[in-house]
Amino acid sequence: LGQRLASLHEEPNFLLVPYDEAVMLHSLRLTTTRDPFDRIIMAHALATSTKIVTKDRWMKRTAPDLAIF
């Protein structure tokens, strides 16, 4: 697992993002779902302006410009 995580840093289309204060603040504002994992995924996308590939209807409604698929 450690080797795979290390190799992800070299992938040009993959970004490892820490769970920092900006992500935490975004996740606290996302109150329309009770799923903590969905909130964290969406908070990371919002904090970093990163697109996410998802079929989740809540994510598509919450950030239609970031959720694709």
Short mmCIF file of all heavy atoms in Angstrom, two decimals:
data_model
loop_
_atom_site.label_atom_id
_atom_site.label_comp_id
_atom_site.label_asym_id
_atom_site.label_seq_id
_atom_site.Cartn_x
_atom_site.Cartn_y
_atom_site.Cartn_z
N LEU A 1 0.82 -1.20 0.00
CA LEU A 1 0.00 0.00 0.00
C LEU A 1 0.87 1.26 0.00
O LEU A 1 0.58 2.21 -0.72
CB LEU A 1 -0.94 -0.01 1.19
CG LEU A 1 -1.88 1.18 1.32
CD1 LEU A 1 -2.80 1.30 0.12
CD2 LEU A 1 -2.69 1.07 2.58
N GLY A 2 1.92 1.28 0.79
CA GLY A 2 2.79 2.44 0.86
C GLY A 2 3.41 2.78 -0.49
O GLY A 2 3.49 3.94 -0.87
N GLN A 3 3.84 1.77 -1.22
CA GLN A 3 4.44 1.98 -2.55
C GLN A 3 3.41 2.56 -3.51
O GLN A 3 3.71 3.45 -4.29
CB GLN A 3 4.98 0.66 -3.09
CG GLN A 3 5.54 0.76 -4.48
CD GLN A 3 7.02 0.62 -4.50
OE1 GLN A 3 7.63 0.22 -3.53
NE2 GLN A 3 7.62 0.97 -5.61
N ARG A 4 2.19 2.05 -3.45
CA ARG A 4 1.13 2.55 -4.34
C ARG A 4 0.80 4.01 -4.03
O ARG A 4 0.65 4.83 -4.93
CB ARG A 4 -0.13 1.69 -4.21
CG ARG A 4 -1.26 2.13 -5.09
CD ARG A 4 -0.91 1.97 -6.56
NE ARG A 4 -1.99 2.49 -7.36
CZ ARG A 4 -1.83 3.20 -8.46
NH1 ARG A 4 -0.64 3.43 -8.95
NH2 ARG A 4 -2.86 3.66 -9.12
N LEU A 5 0.70 4.35 -2.77
CA LEU A 5 0.45 5.75 -2.40
C LEU A 5 1.57 6.65 -2.87
O LEU A 5 1.33 7.75 -3.36
CB LEU A 5 0.24 5.88 -0.89
CG LEU A 5 -1.09 5.40 -0.35
CD1 LEU A 5 -1.10 5.48 1.17
CD2 LEU A 5 -2.24 6.20 -0.92
N ALA A 6 2.80 6.20 -2.73
CA ALA A 6 3.94 6.99 -3.18
C ALA A 6 3.90 7.20 -4.68
O ALA A 6 4.21 8.29 -5.18
CB ALA A 6 5.24 6.30 -2.77
N SER A 7 3.49 6.17 -5.43
CA SER A 7 3.45 6.30 -6.88
C SER A 7 2.33 7.23 -7.34
O SER A 7 2.40 7.81 -8.43
CB SER A 7 3.30 4.92 -7.54
OG SER A 7 2.03 4.38 -7.29
N LEU A 8 1.30 7.42 -6.52
CA LEU A 8 0.22 8.34 -6.90
C LEU A 8 0.70 9.78 -6.99
O LEU A 8 0.15 10.57 -7.76
CB LEU A 8 -0.94 8.23 -5.90
CG LEU A 8 -1.76 6.96 -5.97
CD1 LEU A 8 -2.79 6.93 -4.86
CD2 LEU A 8 -2.42 6.80 -7.32
N HIS A 9 1.71 10.14 -6.24
CA HIS A 9 2.26 11.49 -6.31
C HIS A 9 2.85 11.79 -7.68
O HIS A 9 2.96 12.95 -8.07
CB HIS A 9 3.34 11.69 -5.23
CG HIS A 9 2.76 11.83 -3.86
ND1 HIS A 9 2.15 12.97 -3.42
CD2 HIS A 9 2.70 10.96 -2.83
CE1 HIS A 9 1.73 12.81 -2.19
NE2 HIS A 9 2.06 11.59 -1.80
N GLU A 10 3.22 10.75 -8.42
CA GLU A 10 3.81 10.93 -9.75
C GLU A 10 2.78 10.93 -10.86
O GLU A 10 3.10 11.24 -12.00
CB GLU A 10 4.85 9.83 -9.98
CG GLU A 10 5.99 9.88 -8.98
CD GLU A 10 6.92 8.69 -9.07
OE1 GLU A 10 6.86 7.96 -10.08
OE2 GLU A 10 7.70 8.49 -8.13
N GLU A 11 1.55 10.57 -10.56
CA GLU A 11 0.49 10.53 -11.57
C GLU A 11 0.06 11.96 -11.92
O GLU A 11 -0.32 12.72 -11.04
CB GLU A 11 -0.72 9.75 -11.05
CG GLU A 11 -0.48 8.28 -10.84
CD GLU A 11 -0.37 7.53 -12.15
OE1 GLU A 11 -0.98 7.93 -13.15
OE2 GLU A 11 0.36 6.52 -12.15
N PRO A 12 0.10 12.33 -13.20
CA PRO A 12 -0.25 13.71 -13.57
C PRO A 12 -1.72 14.05 -13.40
O PRO A 12 -2.07 15.21 -13.21
CB PRO A 12 0.16 13.79 -15.05
CG PRO A 12 0.13 12.38 -15.53
CD PRO A 12 0.51 11.53 -14.35
N ASN A 13 -2.61 13.06 -13.43
CA ASN A 13 -4.04 13.33 -13.33
C ASN A 13 -4.63 12.91 -11.99
O ASN A 13 -5.84 12.68 -11.87
CB ASN A 13 -4.80 12.61 -14.45
CG ASN A 13 -4.41 13.16 -15.81
OD1 ASN A 13 -4.30 14.37 -15.98
ND2 ASN A 13 -4.20 12.28 -16.74
N PHE A 14 -3.78 12.80 -10.99
CA PHE A 14 -4.23 12.37 -9.67
C PHE A 14 -3.66 13.32 -8.63
O PHE A 14 -2.50 13.68 -8.69
CB PHE A 14 -3.77 10.93 -9.39
CG PHE A 14 -4.47 10.30 -8.24
CD1 PHE A 14 -5.67 9.63 -8.42
CD2 PHE A 14 -3.96 10.39 -6.96
CE1 PHE A 14 -6.33 9.05 -7.36
CE2 PHE A 14 -4.61 9.81 -5.88
CZ PHE A 14 -5.80 9.14 -6.09
N LEU A 15 -4.50 13.75 -7.71
CA LEU A 15 -4.06 14.70 -6.69
C LEU A 15 -4.44 14.18 -5.31
O LEU A 15 -5.60 13.88 -5.04
CB LEU A 15 -4.75 16.06 -6.95
CG LEU A 15 -4.47 17.18 -5.96
CD1 LEU A 15 -3.00 17.58 -6.00
CD2 LEU A 15 -5.36 18.36 -6.28
N LEU A 16 -3.46 14.05 -4.44
CA LEU A 16 -3.71 13.71 -3.04
C LEU A 16 -3.88 15.02 -2.28
O LEU A 16 -2.99 15.85 -2.27
CB LEU A 16 -2.55 12.90 -2.46
CG LEU A 16 -2.35 11.50 -3.01
CD1 LEU A 16 -1.08 10.89 -2.46
CD2 LEU A 16 -3.54 10.63 -2.67
N VAL A 17 -5.03 15.17 -1.66
CA VAL A 17 -5.35 16.42 -0.99
C VAL A 17 -5.53 16.15 0.50
O VAL A 17 -6.27 15.25 0.89
CB VAL A 17 -6.66 17.03 -1.56
CG1 VAL A 17 -6.98 18.34 -0.91
CG2 VAL A 17 -6.55 17.20 -3.06
N PRO A 18 -4.87 16.93 1.34
CA PRO A 18 -5.02 16.71 2.78
C PRO A 18 -6.39 17.17 3.28
O PRO A 18 -7.04 18.01 2.66
CB PRO A 18 -3.91 17.56 3.38
CG PRO A 18 -3.69 18.64 2.39
CD PRO A 18 -3.95 18.02 1.04
N TYR A 19 -6.80 16.62 4.38
CA TYR A 19 -8.02 17.07 5.05
C TYR A 19 -7.62 18.23 5.94
O TYR A 19 -7.24 18.05 7.09
CB TYR A 19 -8.65 15.92 5.85
CG TYR A 19 -10.00 16.28 6.42
CD1 TYR A 19 -11.12 16.26 5.63
CD2 TYR A 19 -10.13 16.63 7.75
CE1 TYR A 19 -12.37 16.58 6.14
CE2 TYR A 19 -11.37 16.95 8.28
CZ TYR A 19 -12.48 16.93 7.47
OH TYR A 19 -13.71 17.25 7.99
N ASP A 20 -7.67 19.43 5.37
CA ASP A 20 -7.20 20.60 6.10
C ASP A 20 -8.38 21.49 6.53
O ASP A 20 -9.54 21.12 6.39
CB ASP A 20 -6.19 21.38 5.27
CG ASP A 20 -6.76 21.87 3.94
OD1 ASP A 20 -7.99 21.79 3.74
OD2 ASP A 20 -5.97 22.35 3.11
N GLU A 21 -8.06 22.66 7.01
CA GLU A 21 -9.09 23.56 7.53
C GLU A 21 -10.09 23.98 6.45
O GLU A 21 -11.30 24.05 6.71
CB GLU A 21 -8.44 24.81 8.13
CG GLU A 21 -9.42 25.75 8.78
CD GLU A 21 -8.73 26.96 9.41
OE1 GLU A 21 -7.50 27.01 9.46
OE2 GLU A 21 -9.46 27.85 9.85
N ALA A 22 -9.63 24.23 5.24
CA ALA A 22 -10.53 24.64 4.16
C ALA A 22 -11.55 23.54 3.86
O ALA A 22 -12.74 23.81 3.70
CB ALA A 22 -9.73 24.98 2.90
N VAL A 23 -11.09 22.30 3.80
CA VAL A 23 -11.99 21.17 3.55
C VAL A 23 -12.97 21.02 4.70
O VAL A 23 -14.17 20.82 4.50
CB VAL A 23 -11.19 19.87 3.31
CG1 VAL A 23 -12.13 18.69 3.18
CG2 VAL A 23 -10.30 19.99 2.09
N MET A 24 -12.47 21.14 5.92
CA MET A 24 -13.33 21.00 7.09
C MET A 24 -14.43 22.07 7.09
O MET A 24 -15.60 21.77 7.34
CB MET A 24 -12.51 21.13 8.38
CG MET A 24 -13.28 20.80 9.63
SD MET A 24 -12.35 20.99 11.16
CE MET A 24 -10.79 20.28 10.78
N LEU A 25 -14.08 23.30 6.76
CA LEU A 25 -15.08 24.37 6.74
C LEU A 25 -16.12 24.12 5.65
O LEU A 25 -17.32 24.32 5.88
CB LEU A 25 -14.40 25.72 6.53
CG LEU A 25 -13.57 26.22 7.71
CD1 LEU A 25 -12.80 27.47 7.33
CD2 LEU A 25 -14.44 26.46 8.92
N HIS A 26 -15.69 23.66 4.48
CA HIS A 26 -16.65 23.34 3.42
C HIS A 26 -17.58 22.21 3.87
O HIS A 26 -18.79 22.26 3.63
CB HIS A 26 -15.93 22.93 2.14
CG HIS A 26 -15.50 24.09 1.31
ND1 HIS A 26 -16.37 24.86 0.57
CD2 HIS A 26 -14.29 24.61 1.09
CE1 HIS A 26 -15.71 25.80 -0.06
NE2 HIS A 26 -14.43 25.67 0.24
N SER A 27 -17.03 21.18 4.52
CA SER A 27 -17.86 20.05 4.92
C SER A 27 -18.89 20.45 5.98
O SER A 27 -20.00 19.92 6.00
CB SER A 27 -17.00 18.89 5.42
OG SER A 27 -16.37 19.19 6.64
N LEU A 28 -18.56 21.40 6.83
CA LEU A 28 -19.51 21.85 7.85
C LEU A 28 -20.67 22.63 7.24
O LEU A 28 -21.76 22.67 7.80
CB LEU A 28 -18.79 22.72 8.89
CG LEU A 28 -17.80 21.98 9.79
CD1 LEU A 28 -17.03 22.97 10.64
CD2 LEU A 28 -18.51 20.95 10.64
N ARG A 29 -20.45 23.23 6.07
CA ARG A 29 -21.51 23.99 5.40
C ARG A 29 -22.45 23.09 4.60
O ARG A 29 -23.51 23.54 4.18
CB ARG A 29 -20.89 25.03 4.47
CG ARG A 29 -20.19 26.14 5.22
CD ARG A 29 -19.67 27.20 4.26
NE ARG A 29 -18.69 28.01 4.91
CZ ARG A 29 -17.41 28.11 4.54
NH1 ARG A 29 -16.97 27.45 3.50
NH2 ARG A 29 -16.58 28.87 5.21
N LEU A 30 -22.04 21.86 4.33
CA LEU A 30 -22.85 20.93 3.54
C LEU A 30 -23.81 20.20 4.47
O LEU A 30 -23.49 19.17 5.04
CB LEU A 30 -21.94 19.94 2.80
CG LEU A 30 -20.99 20.55 1.78
CD1 LEU A 30 -20.00 19.52 1.29
CD2 LEU A 30 -21.78 21.15 0.62
N THR A 31 -24.98 20.76 4.62
CA THR A 31 -25.93 20.22 5.60
C THR A 31 -27.11 19.49 4.97
O THR A 31 -27.99 19.02 5.69
CB THR A 31 -26.47 21.36 6.48
OG1 THR A 31 -27.11 22.32 5.64
CG2 THR A 31 -25.35 22.02 7.27
N THR A 32 -27.15 19.37 3.65
CA THR A 32 -28.31 18.75 3.01
C THR A 32 -28.19 17.24 2.86
O THR A 32 -29.07 16.61 2.29
CB THR A 32 -28.58 19.39 1.63
OG1 THR A 32 -27.41 19.25 0.83
CG2 THR A 32 -28.95 20.85 1.78
N THR A 33 -27.12 16.65 3.36
CA THR A 33 -26.99 15.20 3.40
C THR A 33 -26.40 14.79 4.74
O THR A 33 -25.60 15.52 5.32
CB THR A 33 -26.12 14.63 2.25
OG1 THR A 33 -26.13 13.20 2.32
CG2 THR A 33 -24.70 15.12 2.33
N ARG A 34 -26.79 13.63 5.21
CA ARG A 34 -26.26 13.14 6.47
C ARG A 34 -25.07 12.22 6.26
O ARG A 34 -24.43 11.83 7.23
CB ARG A 34 -27.36 12.39 7.23
CG ARG A 34 -28.50 13.33 7.63
CD ARG A 34 -29.52 12.61 8.41
NE ARG A 34 -28.88 12.04 9.59
CZ ARG A 34 -29.50 11.60 10.65
NH1 ARG A 34 -30.80 11.66 10.69
NH2 ARG A 34 -28.86 11.10 11.68
N ASP A 35 -24.76 11.89 5.02
CA ASP A 35 -23.66 10.97 4.72
C ASP A 35 -22.32 11.70 4.89
O ASP A 35 -21.98 12.57 4.09
CB ASP A 35 -23.79 10.44 3.30
CG ASP A 35 -22.78 9.37 2.99
OD1 ASP A 35 -21.63 9.44 3.48
OD2 ASP A 35 -23.13 8.44 2.23
N PRO A 36 -21.54 11.36 5.92
CA PRO A 36 -20.29 12.08 6.15
C PRO A 36 -19.27 11.88 5.04
O PRO A 36 -18.49 12.78 4.75
CB PRO A 36 -19.79 11.51 7.48
CG PRO A 36 -20.44 10.18 7.59
CD PRO A 36 -21.76 10.30 6.89
N PHE A 37 -19.28 10.72 4.39
CA PHE A 37 -18.32 10.48 3.32
C PHE A 37 -18.64 11.32 2.10
O PHE A 37 -17.74 11.88 1.47
CB PHE A 37 -18.28 8.99 2.97
CG PHE A 37 -17.82 8.14 4.12
CD1 PHE A 37 -18.73 7.38 4.83
CD2 PHE A 37 -16.50 8.14 4.52
CE1 PHE A 37 -18.32 6.61 5.91
CE2 PHE A 37 -16.08 7.39 5.60
CZ PHE A 37 -16.99 6.62 6.30
N ASP A 38 -19.92 11.45 1.76
CA ASP A 38 -20.30 12.33 0.65
C ASP A 38 -19.91 13.77 0.94
O ASP A 38 -19.44 14.49 0.06
CB ASP A 38 -21.81 12.25 0.39
CG ASP A 38 -22.21 11.02 -0.40
OD1 ASP A 38 -21.31 10.26 -0.84
OD2 ASP A 38 -23.42 10.79 -0.56
N ARG A 39 -20.11 14.20 2.18
CA ARG A 39 -19.74 15.58 2.54
C ARG A 39 -18.25 15.80 2.40
O ARG A 39 -17.81 16.84 1.92
CB ARG A 39 -20.20 15.90 3.97
CG ARG A 39 -21.69 16.11 4.07
CD ARG A 39 -22.08 16.83 5.36
NE ARG A 39 -21.49 16.27 6.55
CZ ARG A 39 -22.08 15.38 7.34
NH1 ARG A 39 -23.29 14.93 7.04
NH2 ARG A 39 -21.49 14.94 8.42
N ILE A 40 -17.44 14.83 2.82
CA ILE A 40 -15.99 14.99 2.73
C ILE A 40 -15.53 15.00 1.27
O ILE A 40 -14.70 15.82 0.88
CB ILE A 40 -15.27 13.89 3.54
CG1 ILE A 40 -15.50 14.13 5.04
CG2 ILE A 40 -13.78 13.85 3.22
CD1 ILE A 40 -15.04 13.00 5.93
N ILE A 41 -16.09 14.10 0.46
CA ILE A 41 -15.73 14.08 -0.96
C ILE A 41 -16.10 15.41 -1.61
O ILE A 41 -15.29 16.01 -2.33
CB ILE A 41 -16.45 12.91 -1.68
CG1 ILE A 41 -15.88 11.58 -1.19
CG2 ILE A 41 -16.32 13.05 -3.19
CD1 ILE A 41 -16.70 10.37 -1.59
N MET A 42 -17.31 15.89 -1.36
CA MET A 42 -17.74 17.15 -1.96
C MET A 42 -16.95 18.33 -1.41
O MET A 42 -16.61 19.25 -2.13
CB MET A 42 -19.24 17.36 -1.73
CG MET A 42 -19.79 18.62 -2.37
SD MET A 42 -19.48 18.75 -4.15
CE MET A 42 -20.49 17.42 -4.76
N ALA A 43 -16.64 18.32 -0.13
CA ALA A 43 -15.86 19.40 0.47
C ALA A 43 -14.47 19.49 -0.16
O ALA A 43 -13.97 20.59 -0.41
CB ALA A 43 -15.74 19.19 1.98
N HIS A 44 -13.85 18.35 -0.42
CA HIS A 44 -12.56 18.37 -1.10
C HIS A 44 -12.69 18.97 -2.49
O HIS A 44 -11.85 19.79 -2.90
CB HIS A 44 -11.97 16.95 -1.21
CG HIS A 44 -11.18 16.54 -0.04
ND1 HIS A 44 -11.72 15.81 0.99
CD2 HIS A 44 -9.88 16.74 0.28
CE1 HIS A 44 -10.78 15.58 1.89
NE2 HIS A 44 -9.66 16.14 1.49
N ALA A 45 -13.72 18.59 -3.22
CA ALA A 45 -13.92 19.13 -4.57
C ALA A 45 -14.15 20.64 -4.52
O ALA A 45 -13.58 21.39 -5.32
CB ALA A 45 -15.10 18.43 -5.24
N LEU A 46 -14.95 21.09 -3.58
CA LEU A 46 -15.22 22.52 -3.46
C LEU A 46 -13.98 23.30 -3.04
O LEU A 46 -13.70 24.38 -3.56
CB LEU A 46 -16.36 22.76 -2.46
CG LEU A 46 -17.74 22.30 -2.91
CD1 LEU A 46 -18.70 22.30 -1.74
CD2 LEU A 46 -18.25 23.17 -4.03
N ALA A 47 -13.23 22.77 -2.08
CA ALA A 47 -12.05 23.48 -1.57
C ALA A 47 -10.95 23.59 -2.60
O ALA A 47 -10.16 24.54 -2.58
CB ALA A 47 -11.52 22.77 -0.32
N THR A 48 -10.89 22.62 -3.52
CA THR A 48 -9.80 22.61 -4.51
C THR A 48 -10.28 22.89 -5.93
O THR A 48 -9.48 22.84 -6.86
CB THR A 48 -9.07 21.25 -4.49
OG1 THR A 48 -10.03 20.22 -4.81
CG2 THR A 48 -8.45 20.97 -3.14
N SER A 49 -11.57 23.17 -6.09
CA SER A 49 -12.17 23.38 -7.43
C SER A 49 -11.85 22.22 -8.37
O SER A 49 -11.49 22.42 -9.52
CB SER A 49 -11.71 24.71 -8.03
OG SER A 49 -12.10 25.77 -7.22
N THR A 50 -11.95 21.02 -7.84
CA THR A 50 -11.64 19.81 -8.58
C THR A 50 -12.93 19.13 -9.02
O THR A 50 -13.85 18.98 -8.23
CB THR A 50 -10.83 18.84 -7.69
OG1 THR A 50 -9.66 19.51 -7.24
CG2 THR A 50 -10.44 17.59 -8.45
N LYS A 51 -12.97 18.70 -10.26
CA LYS A 51 -14.13 17.96 -10.75
C LYS A 51 -14.12 16.55 -10.19
O LYS A 51 -13.06 15.97 -9.97
CB LYS A 51 -14.14 17.93 -12.26
CG LYS A 51 -14.32 19.31 -12.87
CD LYS A 51 -14.75 19.22 -14.28
CE LYS A 51 -14.92 20.57 -14.90
NZ LYS A 51 -16.03 21.33 -14.42
N ILE A 52 -15.30 16.00 -9.96
CA ILE A 52 -15.43 14.63 -9.49
C ILE A 52 -16.36 13.88 -10.43
O ILE A 52 -17.33 14.44 -10.94
CB ILE A 52 -15.94 14.55 -8.04
CG1 ILE A 52 -17.25 15.32 -7.86
CG2 ILE A 52 -14.91 15.06 -7.06
CD1 ILE A 52 -17.87 15.16 -6.51
N VAL A 53 -16.05 12.64 -10.66
CA VAL A 53 -16.89 11.77 -11.49
C VAL A 53 -17.80 11.00 -10.55
O VAL A 53 -17.33 10.25 -9.70
CB VAL A 53 -16.03 10.81 -12.33
CG1 VAL A 53 -16.91 9.89 -13.15
CG2 VAL A 53 -15.07 11.58 -13.22
N THR A 54 -19.11 11.22 -10.69
CA THR A 54 -20.06 10.59 -9.77
C THR A 54 -21.42 10.44 -10.42
O THR A 54 -21.77 11.21 -11.32
CB THR A 54 -20.21 11.42 -8.48
OG1 THR A 54 -21.08 10.73 -7.59
CG2 THR A 54 -20.74 12.80 -8.74
N LYS A 55 -22.17 9.47 -9.97
CA LYS A 55 -23.57 9.33 -10.36
C LYS A 55 -24.48 9.77 -9.22
O LYS A 55 -25.69 9.72 -9.34
CB LYS A 55 -23.86 7.87 -10.73
CG LYS A 55 -23.17 7.44 -12.01
CD LYS A 55 -23.46 6.01 -12.34
CE LYS A 55 -24.78 5.92 -13.06
NZ LYS A 55 -25.08 4.56 -13.55
N ASP A 56 -23.89 10.21 -8.13
CA ASP A 56 -24.65 10.60 -6.94
C ASP A 56 -25.49 11.85 -7.23
O ASP A 56 -24.95 12.90 -7.59
CB ASP A 56 -23.66 10.86 -5.80
CG ASP A 56 -24.36 11.12 -4.49
OD1 ASP A 56 -24.85 12.25 -4.30
OD2 ASP A 56 -24.42 10.19 -3.66
N ARG A 57 -26.80 11.73 -7.07
CA ARG A 57 -27.71 12.85 -7.37
C ARG A 57 -27.48 14.04 -6.45
O ARG A 57 -27.57 15.19 -6.87
CB ARG A 57 -29.16 12.39 -7.29
CG ARG A 57 -29.53 11.56 -8.50
CD ARG A 57 -30.99 11.14 -8.44
NE ARG A 57 -30.98 9.72 -8.06
CZ ARG A 57 -31.83 9.15 -7.26
NH1 ARG A 57 -32.80 9.83 -6.72
NH2 ARG A 57 -31.74 7.88 -6.97
N TRP A 58 -27.20 13.79 -5.18
CA TRP A 58 -26.96 14.89 -4.24
C TRP A 58 -25.75 15.71 -4.65
O TRP A 58 -25.79 16.93 -4.64
CB TRP A 58 -26.78 14.35 -2.81
CG TRP A 58 -26.39 15.43 -1.85
CD1 TRP A 58 -27.21 16.35 -1.29
CD2 TRP A 58 -25.07 15.74 -1.40
NE1 TRP A 58 -26.48 17.21 -0.48
CE2 TRP A 58 -25.16 16.85 -0.55
CE3 TRP A 58 -23.82 15.18 -1.64
CZ2 TRP A 58 -24.07 17.41 0.07
CZ3 TRP A 58 -22.72 15.74 -1.01
CH2 TRP A 58 -22.85 16.85 -0.16
N MET A 59 -24.68 15.03 -5.03
CA MET A 59 -23.47 15.75 -5.45
C MET A 59 -23.73 16.56 -6.71
O MET A 59 -23.25 17.68 -6.85
CB MET A 59 -22.32 14.78 -5.66
CG MET A 59 -21.79 14.20 -4.38
SD MET A 59 -20.31 13.23 -4.70
CE MET A 59 -20.06 12.48 -3.12
N LYS A 60 -24.49 16.00 -7.64
CA LYS A 60 -24.81 16.72 -8.88
C LYS A 60 -25.65 17.97 -8.59
O LYS A 60 -25.46 19.00 -9.22
CB LYS A 60 -25.55 15.81 -9.85
CG LYS A 60 -24.65 14.74 -10.45
CD LYS A 60 -25.46 13.88 -11.39
CE LYS A 60 -24.61 12.83 -12.05
NZ LYS A 60 -25.37 12.03 -13.01
N ARG A 61 -26.58 17.86 -7.65
CA ARG A 61 -27.40 19.04 -7.28
C ARG A 61 -26.59 20.06 -6.50
O ARG A 61 -26.78 21.26 -6.65
CB ARG A 61 -28.60 18.61 -6.44
CG ARG A 61 -29.72 17.97 -7.20
CD ARG A 61 -30.98 17.84 -6.33
NE ARG A 61 -30.73 17.30 -5.01
CZ ARG A 61 -30.78 16.01 -4.68
NH1 ARG A 61 -31.08 15.11 -5.59
NH2 ARG A 61 -30.55 15.61 -3.44
N THR A 62 -25.69 19.60 -5.65
CA THR A 62 -24.92 20.49 -4.78
C THR A 62 -23.90 21.31 -5.57
O THR A 62 -23.73 22.49 -5.31
CB THR A 62 -24.22 19.67 -3.68
OG1 THR A 62 -25.21 18.96 -2.94
CG2 THR A 62 -23.45 20.57 -2.74
N ALA A 63 -23.22 20.67 -6.49
CA ALA A 63 -22.19 21.37 -7.28
C ALA A 63 -22.23 20.87 -8.72
O ALA A 63 -21.35 20.10 -9.14
CB ALA A 63 -20.82 21.15 -6.66
N PRO A 64 -23.22 21.29 -9.49
CA PRO A 64 -23.35 20.79 -10.86
C PRO A 64 -22.16 21.13 -11.76
O PRO A 64 -21.89 20.40 -12.72
CB PRO A 64 -24.64 21.46 -11.37
CG PRO A 64 -24.90 22.59 -10.46
CD PRO A 64 -24.25 22.24 -9.15
N ASP A 65 -21.44 22.17 -11.43
CA ASP A 65 -20.26 22.53 -12.24
C ASP A 65 -19.05 21.65 -11.91
O ASP A 65 -18.10 21.59 -12.69
CB ASP A 65 -19.90 23.99 -12.03
CG ASP A 65 -19.71 24.36 -10.58
OD1 ASP A 65 -20.43 23.81 -9.72
OD2 ASP A 65 -18.84 25.20 -10.29
N LEU A 66 -19.06 20.95 -10.78
CA LEU A 66 -17.93 20.09 -10.40
C LEU A 66 -18.23 18.60 -10.59
O LEU A 66 -17.31 17.81 -10.78
CB LEU A 66 -17.54 20.33 -8.93
CG LEU A 66 -17.02 21.72 -8.59
CD1 LEU A 66 -16.69 21.78 -7.10
CD2 LEU A 66 -15.79 22.06 -9.41
N ALA A 67 -19.50 18.21 -10.52
CA ALA A 67 -19.87 16.81 -10.63
C ALA A 67 -20.16 16.46 -12.10
O ALA A 67 -21.03 17.07 -12.72
CB ALA A 67 -21.08 16.51 -9.77
N ILE A 68 -19.42 15.51 -12.61
CA ILE A 68 -19.63 15.11 -13.99
C ILE A 68 -19.97 13.62 -14.05
O ILE A 68 -19.58 12.86 -13.19
CB ILE A 68 -18.39 15.41 -14.88
CG1 ILE A 68 -17.13 14.76 -14.30
CG2 ILE A 68 -18.19 16.90 -15.04
CD1 ILE A 68 -15.90 14.94 -15.16
N PHE A 69 -20.75 13.23 -15.05
CA PHE A 69 -21.16 11.87 -15.39
C PHE A 69 -22.63 11.72 -15.37
O PHE A 69 -23.43 12.31 -14.82
CB PHE A 69 -20.52 10.81 -14.50
CG PHE A 69 -20.88 9.41 -14.92
CD1 PHE A 69 -20.54 8.93 -16.17
CD2 PHE A 69 -21.56 8.57 -14.07
CE1 PHE A 69 -20.86 7.65 -16.55
CE2 PHE A 69 -21.87 7.28 -14.43
CZ PHE A 69 -21.52 6.82 -15.69
#
